[in-house]
Amino acid sequence: MENIDISKGFKVILTGMPDLSVIQIPEPETIAVSALDIPYIRPKLLVKENDPVKTGTPLFCDKRNKSIHYVSPGTGIVKQIIFGQRRRLVEVVIALDKIQDKKDDFIQFETLSRDDLDTVPKSKITKMLQEGGLWQCFRQFPSKDTADENHEPPMIIVSLNGNDLFSPHPHAVLENETTFFEFGISVLKQFSKRIIVTSRQDNLSSLNRLNGLNKHITHIVPDFYPAWDPGVVLYKLKTTREENRSWCISAEHLVLMAKLLLTGRYPVKRVVTVTRSNDKKPHIITRQGAPVKDLAGSLDDNSLITTGRFNGRSVESGSHMGFFENTLTIISDNQKEELFGFIKPGLTKPTASKTFLSCLTKTPKNLDCNTHGEERACINCGYCVNICPVDLMPNFIIKALLSDDIEDALNYGLLDCCRCGLCSYACPSKIELTRILSHGIDAHYKDKE
Amino acid sequence: MNPLKKLLDSSEKYFTGSGKFNRLKPLFDATKTFLFFPSPKTSHIPFVRDSLDLKRFMSFVIISLLPVLIFGIYNTGLQAGYALGESYTFLQAFFSGSRYVIPIILVSYSVGFFWEVLFAAIQKHKISEGFLVTGLLFPLTLPATIPLWQVAVGISFGVVIGKEVFGGTGRNFLNPALTGRAFLFFSYPVSMSGEVWVAAASSVDGVSGATALSILAPEGEKITSALSNSGFSLSNLFLGFVPGSIGETSALCCILGALFLIITKIANFRIIIGGIAGLIVTSIIFYLIPGGSDSWMNAGPLFHLCAGGFLFGISFMATDPVSAPGTNPGRWIFGFLIGFFTVIIRVANPAFVEGTMLAILFMNVFAPMLDHIVIKYNVSRRIPNV
Ligand code: SF4
Ligand code: SF4
């Protein structure tokens, strides 16, 4: 195990860390597969409303590669297909079957045994994963689109931690799943010569208790956000240009892949966390695509529900969890206009700067979903530069992007940006840096496609 | 609800849309957000934002200026008292000083604010908090006896030519307060240059007093002893009990302000430390060159550091992030060269005694170039990702 030296990130300690215990909640009435958390997808529907579906029935595929399926995580009927603006697919909602005593009726896919692994061709495994609805777990840098099956990635980064500080703890996700995890690693070895597995420093001791898992961990990252983000890890590890097109996958998804290949059944179980300031909720076992309101409960206030405070999406309480999402962060709204608020000493105000007394205390802080000020022109203060984990200069890159100078932006390293959101977080002028950068990356990628 | 908030909310309609005073919307917004800190909900990633905003950022610069401001008022009164042949008590000096300094600050703020509101209304942007700093920095660089109309002209030039013509705060490359000061310096050298009119009861028969930088030692005497003989001993210069511009005389107060800015990380320490290093190294080099013992060439680092507006300039002017480089190596070089040029100008061209101001403005112009070079270098070290 090597340490990766990462010095920049979000170091404020927050309240609301979930408890390590795990509970199971009752089966939801509806589940859904969302298209909103799948980057770049151009979905083509394969079902109609009221169609019966089994667990594993493909619901839609990606027009750009029709063999990549997104399958139903439950058995029932298609209750509703929701479209957003410009008829963009939002969710395929499925009402779960009650009659069969909540037993899934699985589509049986082909299986693979451990011994087959060395003899079957890679293309065969690819096909099994695509049909089984899990190929998209592989994401390809730099834009993190679905991995290109014809490309041999120079490395695959497996991340034990999710997109948020309080994403499910790997111990809760991988408990009892080590054998699947190990099988998953052997599958990855068919795709790339170099497999990187990273873990947060503070998780190591509890992971030690999981049999044999630690020996697969290749790198340790510090315990502040977003050191474990595969984009940051790639930036720190890469030595050649080719490595810019590496792949990444989360450990949870790797286990799902292993289960699919070994059992031939689409695995539907997910571990999620629901976090909120000052709460300490247990991890929750539920089904993929569970309704947000089942997890978050009913919220009477103005809180924002997101799937990651820095880089998730904001979700309505009537919607469902996405394929890639395994945490709900409920951020309270503190929208009161304080008299002379800008000059209070601020003992409890979270900040990455040194301008509030709170930076002297180690007590955990609460973040709210307010901007704390209005947008202004960039004053070149460099706060965004000082916090960017991949050593970018967001202020200079957005200047290039806003003047349509994509060449300069790329030279400055635009595509290394992992969209962690920290630059926007820290900017005292409240400039939407991450949004502009993210638009820039997407526009460039779509242009090339 | 707070009654003040009620009043603001109920009068909002006059300033928005087709309200009677809709042209004054920026002024209304500025007043409202100054009193009541705005904090709308986020709508894009990240959904959480830091507590620091530009109002607080700029307020911290104001706080850091309080020691120089308060001492400046006191010292102005004290010097005025000396000019009248009296020695005031602290309170007397403070009140007498206020009579000179407060009107200057008021004129600076109100005239500058007028331009801010005007441009905000024309260009339909919000009034930037940056002006709070400019409006206070500018008067502190002026001698207390400056006619108020010159204050108005200077701040107008600084705000309009130094900032607004480039598109407002964030797009200017010169420090607006310094731009205004330099303009006055070249347009009205009499009231600005080395010969300060020490504030006196009636400015008509004010007494002419030299500043430290305009001292030249008589033949055969060392500059340092000549300085001490004219009241500019090192300790006086350090503490600030000498004639000079309102805010610039006390090295100690500047250092206090600078420390505050460095600890809170509002100013970048690289500029300040780099500048002091540049000044010390250059002045030592000159000190070691034989000859010139009667001029500032031979004053040595301590006198160079404490005299004139160097510490004020490097702490509060050069650290203005908008007109300084945005890269760390750039900041070191920027600071160092300001120190370097300050000494060069003081030594080489006694006509422009206050070298710091020119050095900073000069380096403001080169800041984007320094950044450009540093970024080029940084980019060359990245593994290309295109
Ligand atoms: S540029 Fe901003 S969003 Fe991108 S990696 Fe750096 S801090 Fe994160
Ligand atoms: S943090 Fe904001 S204001 Fe500061 S340099 Fe970056 S973009 Fe500009």
Side-chain angles (χ1 to χ4, degrees), chain B residues 273-322:
Chain B
I273 305 290
I276 293 175
L279 182 107
I280 290 177
V281 169
T282 319
S283 57
I284 288 180
I285 292 175
F286 273 111
Y287 188 73
L288 296 177
I289 296 176
S293 70
D294 55 346
S295 74
W296 271 90
M297 236 178 119
N298 213 9
L302 288 179
F303 273 98
H304 269 290
L305 206 55
C306 297
F310 175 73
L311 280 174
F312 184 86
I314 200 75
S315 308
F316 304 113
M317 298 283 198
T319 52
D320 164 24
V322 178

Side-chain angles (χ1 to χ4, degrees), chain B residues 152-174:
Chain B
V153 171
I155 191 73
S156 303
F157 190 88
V159 169
V160 177
I161 306 295
K163 188 169 81 172
E164 292 298 344
V165 293
F166 298 108
T169 303
R171 298 195 180 79
N172 53 312
F173 64 93
L174 295 177

Side-chain angles (χ1 to χ4, degrees), chain A residues 53-73:
Chain A
V53 289
K54 295 183 182 181
T55 308
T57 307
L59 299 178
F60 54 89
C61 65
D62 194 336
K63 264 180 210 159
R64 303 171 303 164
N65 179 352
K66 295 207 179 70
S67 47
I68 299 177
H69 287 172
Y70 294 79
V71 306
S72 169

Side-chain angles (χ1 to χ4, degrees), chain A residues 388-390 392 394 417-421 423 434 437:
Chain A
C388 175
V390 295
L392 294 176
C417 168
C418 63
R419 312 189 211 200
C420 67
C423 45
T434 312
L437 294 168

Side-chain angles (χ1 to χ4, degrees), chain B residues 40-61:
Chain B
K41 220 166 158 174
T42 52
S43 48
H44 302 288
I45 63 160
F47 299 107
V48 291
R49 301 296 163 101
D50 202 274
S51 305
L52 174 67
D53 82 320
L54 222 53
K55 280 198 177 55
R56 193 177 180 90
F57 193 98
M58 294 304 174
S59 313
F60 270 51
V61 184

